[in-house]
Amino acid sequence: MTRRSVMLFGLLFALFVFVGIATGVQYTTLLLVQSFAYALIALGLNIQWGYGGLFNFSIMGMLMLGGAAVTFTSSPVNPGFWASEGPMLLGRAVLGLAVGLALVWGVGRIAVKGRLKAVLVVASWAAGYFIYRTQIDPAAAYIETTSGWVGGLGLNPVFGWILGGILAAGLALLMGKICLGLRTDYLAIATIGISEIIRALLKNMDWLTRGTKTVSPIPWPTPLPQDLQAAGMAVNDSFLYARLGFLAIAALILVVALFLVQRAYNGPWGRMMRAIRDNFISAGSMGKNVTQRQLELFVLGSVLMGIGGAMLVSFQQIYDPGAYQPINHTFLVWVMVIVGGAGNNFGAIFGGFLIYVAWMTSDQVAQAVLSTVSHWSTDLGWGAIPEIESRASQMRVFVLGIVITVAIRYFPRGLLPEVRRQ
Amino acid sequence: MMNELIFFFNNVVVASIALGSIYAVAGVGVTLIFGILRFAHFAHGDMMTMGAFLAFVLAGLFATLGWSVPGLPTGFIVMPIAMVLTAIIAFGLDKAFYAPLRKRKASSVTLLIASIGVTLIVQGLIRLIFGSGAASFFETETKQLIRIPVPLEGVTRTINFTQPQLLMVLMTIVAVTVLHLFLTRSRLGKAMRAMADNADLAQVSGINTKLVVRVTWIIAGALAAMAGTMLALDVQLKPDLAFNIVLPIFAAAIVGGLGQPYGAIAAGYLIGFAESAAIFNWSVLLRPLQGILPFEVPVSITFVPTEYKLTVAFVILVVVLLWRPTGIFKGASS
């Protein structure tokens, strides 16, 4: 680490201490746990964008998938569902999906060319979709009316985090296979589109995720405040120690991820990745498999995003697919990486912490500013500013916009720029 | 059968023409900016919302002053003023945020990220000033419903649409005609097309590229305000009014081929139709044919459930990007 990064991390520590004094230790532990999760997500984006120059605007989709994974794994088992016809109907839906996909795969391999082939491919997709719909629609309606939703598996949330990473990896593999050949700005738009499709699915598949009805409470891997209280701890202390327990796991995951990523980055693999990013044509002519390597980066980064998304959901104990927004979950992470410094892992993590604290505290600052202005305008006889609270909570979007435009214009390489060794 | 066809017309054709007009007008702006400046202007949706909010403020001002035209919604009367204001703001946004980056020869990706920053700034400001609730242009006026009876025997349904929808279609026709004449007849319009084809060649041929960039922002801003106001007249005014449909608008621009205004118009209507047709219950049309059909018509046949209406546009977007990234009408590439 350079002197600059030691200094900036020192300032960041001071900022957290200041926030701790101003808002209380309890709120700061909450902020810290979520910052660690976001730092992990920012590290994931740094792998994709900083190492590989790959545009990924589907962070929201990855986080949602991670959240769905931990919800499914760690929620209590729903005995009503397993006792009903539901599993059988779902099995038929899966079979229907398999038949549909087999049809599409089979038609894709028929040795016809030209217009007839195009017609056949489109028809096979339509038929496959039709077969799947005839099975899933009654299954979904049946589960939603009889047992509500499929429930969970009742496992430890850590398994859910792992599953979140795996699901995000699967999605990234699929997306990478079909989209990575696109030009950057098209790739950006395509990934936003895919992330919106995932949001629509998870929000409306009530049988699987309970949709906007939300799932809660989702268990923690560490003891909850209520558990500590049951063991005889005071209420205030219980929140602090429970969150510190969660924080320890979050910090451990981030440190391990950072260590592995940092080693890979400084090794031959990282050098190859930077070579591909800076000039993929020359890297390709040196015999590097550019597409395959880019796919690796895309998957690796998405794994961290999936785990981070799962951690956030377990910490908040509620999975609400309706609460995910591109601004809060995709663009926020982009601002973290750009402000922190793309291509520098410490920069991405620094940006994750800094931007998250700014994002979470800016409405309180805005509220203070607005009430001061309001007092002042009342004294002048212009009247008070109406609805200060709801306005102030919107301030963060504006602040985020200012931060990203200023950063991209004046510090395009971030606060902790990539270190280029010759 | 006629009753069912009219039901289809009201639910699919009217809805898709209304939605398609919005996509078309907004998509032209996106496609022009891409053609001239070579970047995906993500903040276009928020320029639309801003135009709609300006129109809302102006309509309130007109109402307090007691100015109105009988029979027409005030929001529609003030639209030209909102268009002028938004064009000026669009020009200012370019000066403040995009022009410095272009001067630095920043990549199109940097400009795209900057436009996301502008999205956040504009949306944050709108929420800060107007709050996050919904508002309507028709709090004091009534939205007129137009019913046209069909002079046929046994027909009980009427063809229904609202006055804002009618105005929307008329205004789209006017805007497209004016734009067409501008692009094909005027010197500046021809310069714009030349620059979209080949910016370097246009510059060495003595075309004033700075002027073309300025005019592009003015046209795009004015069209955005028009689309935003018309959308707000049709539905409700919310801070995320157009942010939510910015992807379908991009879909229209990409499907039409980026840089191709006519393609964007055609694709706008195409996507509007696909969205409305995908959620329509086709059983309604099949039920009268029950006698001649070999199977029983189910209660409901939809391509996708209603909740997935916008998803249709995303799927079209992704499929077109993968299958023919230059769009069906062969677009520009940067």
Side-chain angles (χ1 to χ4, degrees), chain A residues 1-19 346 349-351 353-354 415-416:
Chain A
M1 287 217 276
T2 57
R3 263 179 53 205
R4 185 189 172 93
S5 54
V6 172
M7 195 184 75
L8 281 173
F9 273 98
L11 284 176
L12 186 67
F13 183 74
L15 177 68
F16 268 96
V17 171
F18 174 75
V19 171
F346 291 101
I349 287 175
F350 176 81
F353 281 106
L354 179 70
L415 291 173
L416 283 177

Side-chain angles (χ1 to χ4, degrees), chain A residues 12 56 125 142 146 159 191 200 226 251 309 329 372:
Chain A
L12 186 67
N56 180 6
W125 276 99
Y142 174 81
T146 54
F159 291 106
T191 50
Q226 291 89 312
H329 295 95
T372 317

Side-chain angles (χ1 to χ4, degrees), chain A residues 17-364:
Chain A
V17 171
F18 174 75
V19 171
I21 293 166
T23 61
V25 181
Q26 278 195 33
Y27 182 71
T28 313
T29 46
L30 177 140
L31 211 57
L32 267 174
V33 174
Q34 292 178 338
S35 310
F36 269 95
Y38 269 100
L40 188 70
I41 297 162
L43 189 62
L45 180 62
N46 188 41
I47 294 177
Q48 295 173 340
W49 169 243
Y51 290 15
L54 301 173
F55 236 74
N56 180 6
F57 267 151
S58 61
I59 303 168
M60 181 184 74
M62 303 290 177
L63 300 190
M64 285 191 80
L65 214 53
V70 76
T71 309
F72 179 69
T73 320
S74 66
S75 289
V77 178
N78 182 359
F81 165 72
W82 294 103
S84 71
E85 297 277 302
M88 213 263 291
L89 287 171
L90 270 189
R92 280 173 54 182
V94 171
L95 203 66
L97 184 66
V99 170
L101 287 178
L103 192 68
V104 170
W105 185 82
V107 168
R109 298 227 159 2
I110 295 176
V112 237
K113 285 254 152 35
R115 185 153 293 184
L116 181 65
K117 172 87 175 220
V119 171
L120 279 176
V121 166
V122 171
S124 72
W125 276 99
Y129 177 69
F130 180 75
I131 294 170
Y132 172 65
R133 276 288 302 278
T134 56
Q135 297 305 315
I136 192 71
D137 281 5
Y142 174 81
I143 294 170
E144 278 162 29
T145 48
T146 54
S147 52
W149 67 305
V150 297
L153 297 177
L155 296 173
N156 191 300
V158 171
F159 291 106
W161 299 358
I162 297 169
L163 182 66
I166 294 171
L167 287 185
L171 176 68
L173 193 65
L174 192 72
M175 271 170 71
K177 282 256 184 230
I178 58 178
C179 299
L180 277 182
L182 291 173
R183 247 176 40 203
T184 14
D185 40 359
Y186 282 1
L187 179 64
I189 295 167
T191 50
I192 300 181
I194 290 174
S195 132
E196 289 292 330
I197 293 172
I198 292 165
R199 174 161 74 150
L201 286 174
L202 288 178
K203 206 165 148 182
N204 293 308
M205 284 164 95
D206 283 16
W207 58 274
L208 182 63
T209 63
R210 268 173 68 90
T212 44
K213 293 197 222 46
T214 73
V215 181
S216 77
I218 293 164
W220 278 15
T222 51
L224 280 164
Q226 291 89 312
D227 302 336
L228 293 180
Q229 282 163 33
M233 198 179 267
V235 176
N236 273 336
D237 289 349
S238 71
F239 274 96
L240 177 64
Y241 285 106
R243 281 175 184 166
L244 283 179
F246 200 111
L247 185 63
I249 295 195
L252 181 73
I253 292 178
L254 182 67
V255 168
V256 169
L258 177 64
F259 174 74
L260 294 177
V261 168
Q262 192 66 18
R263 281 208 51 164
Y265 182 72
N266 288 326
W269 182 83
R271 249 188 332 267
M272 172 172 65
M273 292 306 176
R274 274 166 283 159
I276 290 172
R277 176 195 63 191
D278 293 337
N279 191 339
F280 68 90
I281 296 171
S282 75
S285 68
M286 300 295 275
K288 306 293 178 208
N289 188 343
V290 175
T291 335
Q292 202 57 36
R293 297 288 90 77
Q294 287 186 334
L295 198 58
E296 267 172 31
L297 287 180
F298 207 66
V299 171
L300 201 60
S302 300
V303 169
L304 296 186
M305 290 173 187
I307 296 175
M311 275 163 62
L312 281 175
V313 166
S314 346
F315 181 67
Q316 285 153 356
Q317 293 207 280
I318 178 165
Y319 184 57
D320 178 9
Y324 285 83
Q325 296 289 336
I327 292 181
N328 304 8
H329 295 95
T330 298
F331 301 151
L332 183 65
V333 181
W334 268 91
V335 178
M336 289 170 178
V337 171
I338 288 170
V339 170
N344 184 337
N345 292 322
F346 291 101
I349 287 175
F350 176 81
F353 281 106
L354 179 70
I355 297 298
Y356 195 69
V357 174
W359 170 253
M360 289 300 279
T361 51
S362 64
D363 50 342
Q364 287 156 16

